[in-house]
Amino acid sequence: VEAPRLGVTFDMAFIDGDKRHYVECYEAVLPLLRQGGFLLADNTLWDGHVTDHDYDHDRGDRNDNNNCNHCRAGYGGRNADRRGVKHMSDKQIEITTAKSAGFCFGVDRAVKLVYQALDAGKQVATLGPIVHNDAVVNDLLSRGARIIEDISELHAGETLIIRAHGVPQQVYDKLAEMETDVIDATCPFVARIHRIVEEQTALGRQILIAGDPKHPEVQGIVGHCAENCTVFQTQAELKCLIDRNYGKGLAIVAQTTYNKLLWGDCIDSLPSDAPDLLVFDTICNATAARQSDADALSRQSDLMLVAGGRHSSNTVKLYDVCSRNCPTWHIENPEELHTEAAAIRACAETVWQNKG
Ligand code: F3S
């Protein structure tokens, strides 16, 4: 009989309250699942009672050549690291984490920079929340960081942290005038777009930006162009812009999280005879990779757990992708895992019975 398979994916990190440091997602979620009472592949109980099966593993090598009497899994003796040993006992649940999960490189880097600044004793203000994740933001606030919406709110002596989305050039200019201590956590992939549009602007090209005009990243990109830029959201809008500016020098870039399929449609519809048209594919793969890995895992899972902020559009997208394939739970914090544990266990029980 196969164990129910629980897939896990995240768009978040959990904060280790005791050590107060940023914990890598994968290491963080396993203890949480354990606390929730789940049996993991390393033989931790999921229903709170000891079975003969576990007892065999706990007491080490006795009569059976390093194999458990019940499931025959090898474990290598009393002190061996038992992680990764698979057991097929009653009520076991097999847990797999998606290949890519957790904060993307740019957000991970930004969050770490805030923690490093706080650890160095700086008075820190972030320009907007550093990440759409209440657990992380609240932890930073509890350590004394402030969130400001405008640099005019800065206090004397404070260090300003620019988040991964980046900011317009005029913000850098004002900060330089104010002689503010700045930590620039702009994601390098976003900074690359800033460089591209600056260079193409200097060469006299009109800049077309695929993205959401209200998104801070797009507003930052616009702020690195001169007056010569337009934001578009759809293939139809791009077509109008191309028709209107036909014959002029044009350069097209995309918001890093722009939909890859839409981007493909936009590029396919460009006229092949446009004399001076440059296309820069600036979409970041992190979001798309997380979604396709979550999709693949949820197709092979009986249930899925998606951990991330309730208001994080990335997390909601992960939830949508997974819930098309199997029953899916969205949790925002460790406490919710405990609340949902009974429901997840009930679902696992049903799957297990059906498989039996
Ligand atoms: Fe993240 Fe940077 Fe990509 S912030 S989504 S790694 S562009």
Side-chain angles (χ1 to χ4, degrees):
V1 178
E2 279 182 23
R5 291 157 303 181
L6 174 64
V8 181
T9 188
F10 323 58
D11 185 56
M12 68 182 303
F14 290 95
I15 298 299
D16 178 334
D18 290 327
K19 294 182 196 145
R20 287 208 166 276
H21 66 244
Y22 177 80
V23 183
E24 295 300 331
C25 298
Y26 185 71
E27 271 80 30
V29 84
L30 295 182
L32 289 174
L33 288 166
R34 255 184 225 115
Q35 286 163 29
F38 293 93
L39 178 67
L40 307 183
D42 70 348
N43 203 27
T44 308
L45 286 175
W46 80 304
D47 57 358
H49 69 266
V50 176
T51 64
D52 288 342
H53 167 86
D54 296 287
Y55 179 63
D56 262 356
H57 282 273
D58 282 341
R59 70 184 179 172
D61 189 7
R62 286 289 184 273
N63 318 309
D64 55 2
N65 260 344
N66 289 351
N67 284 330
C68 170
N69 284 335
H70 298 268
C71 72
R72 319 307 301 171
Y75 59 89
R78 179 189 292 275
N79 297 318
D81 179 2
R82 291 173 296 148
R83 289 187 81 162
V85 176
K86 302 270 184 201
H87 308 273
M88 301 310 290
S89 67
D90 281 4
K91 295 184 180 176
Q92 183 170 342
I93 189 164
E94 186 181 324
I95 297 174
T96 309
T97 306
K99 234 188 326 169
S100 61
F103 286 159
C104 62
F105 156 77
V107 170
D108 181 61
R109 175 175 169 271
V111 170
K112 281 177 177 156
L113 284 170
V114 183
Y115 276 103
Q116 279 166 16
L118 288 166
D119 287 344
K122 292 181 187 264
Q123 295 292 315
V124 166
T126 64
L127 193 52
I130 198 81
V131 59
H132 299 293
N133 183 287
D134 289 348
V136 174
V137 169
N138 290 338
D139 191 65
L140 292 169
L141 294 178
S142 75
R143 296 194 58 191
R146 290 199 313 130
I147 300 173
I148 58 171
E149 294 307 321
D150 189 277
I151 55 176
S152 60
E153 298 164 39
L154 271 170
H155 293 166
E158 254 178 348
T159 296
L160 180 80
I161 303 195
I162 295 172
R163 59 188 174 169
H165 291 321
V167 291
Q169 182 58 44
Q170 71 175 68
V171 174
Y172 287 109
D173 296 343
K174 269 199 207 151
L175 288 167
E177 258 173 48
M178 292 160 65
E179 298 183 358
T180 306
D181 182 29
V182 175
I183 294 175
D184 189 354
T186 303
C187 175
F189 300 132
V190 177
R192 174 177 166 252
I193 306 178
H194 295 172
R195 280 197 302 278
I196 291 172
V197 298
E198 281 165 4
E199 282 165 17
Q200 296 306 318
T201 298
L203 292 170
R205 289 199 173 86
Q206 169 94 7
I207 311 294
L208 307 182
I209 305 163
D212 173 359
K214 293 197 213 85
H215 193 282
E217 180 193 322
V218 174
Q219 291 169 349
I221 297 168
V222 168
H224 286 264
C225 305
E227 301 291 297
N228 61 335
C229 71
T230 314
V231 180
F232 66 94
Q233 300 203 67
T234 64
Q235 186 184 2
E237 285 174 18
L238 174 63
K239 194 172 175 319
C240 285
L241 285 167
I242 297 281
D243 290 347
R244 207 184 308 149
N245 293 287
Y246 194 81
K248 293 187 193 155
L250 296 172
I252 308 179
V253 296
Q255 181 180 348
T256 53
T257 50
Y258 193 72
N259 183 309
K260 244 188 171 348
L261 295 175
L262 266 180
W263 174 254
D265 291 344
C266 288
I267 301 313
D268 287 348
S269 68
L270 291 173
S272 54
D273 59 349
D276 188 5
L277 174 61
L278 292 182
V279 176
F280 297 88
D281 182 351
T282 49
I283 295 178
C284 171
N285 280 330
T287 310
R290 275 155 183 68
Q291 284 175 24
S292 73
D293 288 344
D295 181 54
L297 180 60
S298 56
R299 284 173 195 275
Q300 296 161 11
S301 299
D302 298 303
L303 16 149
M304 277 296 291
L305 190 62
V306 177
R310 197 74 67 205
H311 303 295
S312 153
S313 69
N314 282 343
T315 310
V316 172
K317 277 182 204 145
L318 286 173
Y319 175 82
D320 289 344
V321 164
C322 296
S323 57
R324 284 202 295 262
N325 299 326
C326 69
T328 301
W329 281 266
H330 178 175
I331 60 159
E332 187 167 42
N333 54 48
E335 288 69 42
E336 285 182 21
L337 184 61
H338 299 294
T339 316
E340 300 286 6
I344 298 172
R345 267 203 291 269
C347 185
E349 189 88 52
T350 309
V351 173
W352 190 81
Q353 277 166 7
N354 290 342
K355 286 185 172 181

